[in-house]
């Protein structure tokens, strides 16, 4: 079903070369600009640089593959800029890895694994407060990843890119309300709702309400 876009909540438009996600709303809560994890920008930057060099890519080459400007990539690598969720997702795509891999997730091949709450890899968008928590141990061979997303009131994830290959997402809304925008189509979900989509065009997650929203996300990557 195709719905009209609510103009007050149209925070940005899809675009492969944008370096910024949506701006935080007026009256954002204190602390929304702080990172929730203990991974400083310098560590993220060093991983980006290491993976870029391992792939024999120049900054210009990575900029072309990711759609993120060379200037932004240089600042990220030097630890001078904490990238937004949309930007770091495009960087990961340009490097041929998952966002969790870029965050430092290491492969776990054990037949039984436990991920303790204090062991979660987490990323918080410094501009919006959007939080991404990796819940599942890293089993790249399975192609399945379990995440928890938390979106503050009035915040968007920013437009997220497509992936190479076949990628699907399953969502289960834990609290609040969520709008999933896929291209020009908007799907509105409430607590207890579930949602499935194949990633074939840019999309974003938006919390249009005055209350926080949290939901579980299962990513399925197929060869």
């Amino acid at each position: 079903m195709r719905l009209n876009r609510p103009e007050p909540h149209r925070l940005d438009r899809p675009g492969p070369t944008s370096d910024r996600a949506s701006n935080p709303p007026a009256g954002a809560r204190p602390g929304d600009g702080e990172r929730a994890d203990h991974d400083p920008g310098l560590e993220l930057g060093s991983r980006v640089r290491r993976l870029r060099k391992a792939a024999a890519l120049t900054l210009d080459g990575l900029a072309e593959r990711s759609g993120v400007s060379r200037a932004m990539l240089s600042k990220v690598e030097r630890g001078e800029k904490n990238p937004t969720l949309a930007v770091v997702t495009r960087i990961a795509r340009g490097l041929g890895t998952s966002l969790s891999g870029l965050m430092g997730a290491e492969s776990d091949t054990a037949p039984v694994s436990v991920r303790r709450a204090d062991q979660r890899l987490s990323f918080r968008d410094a501009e919006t407060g959007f939080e991404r928590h990796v819940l599942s141990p890293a089993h790249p061979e399975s192609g399945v990843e379990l995440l928890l997303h938390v979106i503050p009131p009035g915040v968007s994830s920013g437009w997220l890119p497509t992936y190479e290959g076949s990628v699907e997402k399953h969502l289960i809304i834990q609290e609040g309300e969520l709008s999933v925008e896929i291209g020009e189509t908007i799907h509105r979900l409430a607590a207890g709702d579930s949602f499935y989509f194949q990633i074939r065009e840019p999309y974003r997650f938006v919390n249009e309400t005055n209350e926080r929203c949290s939901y579980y996300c299962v990513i399925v990557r197929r060869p």
Side-chain angles (χ1 to χ4, degrees):
M1 180 172 64
R2 190 174 294 270
L3 303 175
N4 293 327
R5 287 175 175 267
E7 288 298 324
H9 302 293
R10 191 175 61 186
L11 305 180
D12 52 14
R13 299 284 298 178
T17 59
S18 173
D19 285 342
R20 301 176 66 86
S22 58
N23 292 325
R29 295 176 301 175
D32 280 352
E34 300 172 4
R35 297 177 67 92
D37 59 276
H38 301 287
D39 182 15
L42 189 59
E43 290 187 20
L44 175 63
S46 66
R47 284 198 294 272
V48 171
R49 183 185 299 109
R50 183 170 63 252
L51 290 172
R52 176 177 63 80
K53 290 186 175 181
L57 287 171
T58 63
L59 282 172
D60 288 329
L62 180 55
E64 182 176 354
R65 290 180 57 169
S66 66
V68 177
S69 70
R70 186 186 190 283
M72 171 64 77
L73 290 171
S74 180
K75 290 179 180 178
V76 169
E77 287 196 358
R78 295 197 303 267
E80 297 176 359
K81 180 72 174 178
N82 286 329
T84 64
L85 176 67
V87 169
V88 77
T89 298
R90 288 197 291 272
I91 292 174
R93 182 190 62 171
L95 291 169
T97 187
S98 66
L99 179 51
S100 296
L102 185 56
M103 290 166 56
E106 297 181 359
S107 179
D108 184 348
T109 59
V112 178
S113 300
V114 177
R115 174 64 60 83
R116 302 296 181 187
D118 61 356
Q119 296 174 330
R120 292 178 182 174
L121 285 174
S122 300
F123 173 85
R124 188 177 189 187
D125 189 316
E127 291 191 8
T128 66
F130 185 109
E131 298 176 16
R132 181 185 191 273
H133 304 275
V134 182
L135 305 182
S136 57
H139 290 284
E141 70 283 354
S142 72
V144 177
E145 188 173 18
L146 175 61
L147 310 169
L148 172 64
H149 289 175
V150 180
I151 310 184
V155 160
S156 161
S157 65
W159 288 98
L160 302 174
T162 58
Y163 298 82
E164 292 186 5
S166 177
V167 180
E168 306 164 359
K169 286 194 174 183
H170 301 255
L171 310 180
I172 302 174
I173 310 305
Q174 180 185 38
E175 63 175 331
E177 299 178 9
L178 179 71
S179 293
V180 182
E181 300 187 18
I182 305 174
E184 296 293 329
T185 304
I186 303 175
H187 305 269
R188 292 186 171 86
L189 309 171
D193 291 348
S194 58
F195 184 72
Y196 161 85
F197 67 106
Q198 297 178 1
I199 301 176
R200 296 180 175 176
E201 56 185 319
Y203 64 99
R204 69 173 180 169
F205 304 119
V206 184
N207 180 358
E208 300 178 330
T209 73
N210 295 322
E211 303 292 335
R212 86 170 200 162
C213 172
S214 65
Y215 59 95
Y216 294 102
C217 175
V218 179
I219 302 176
V220 181
R221 295 178 174 85
R222 302 186 186 280

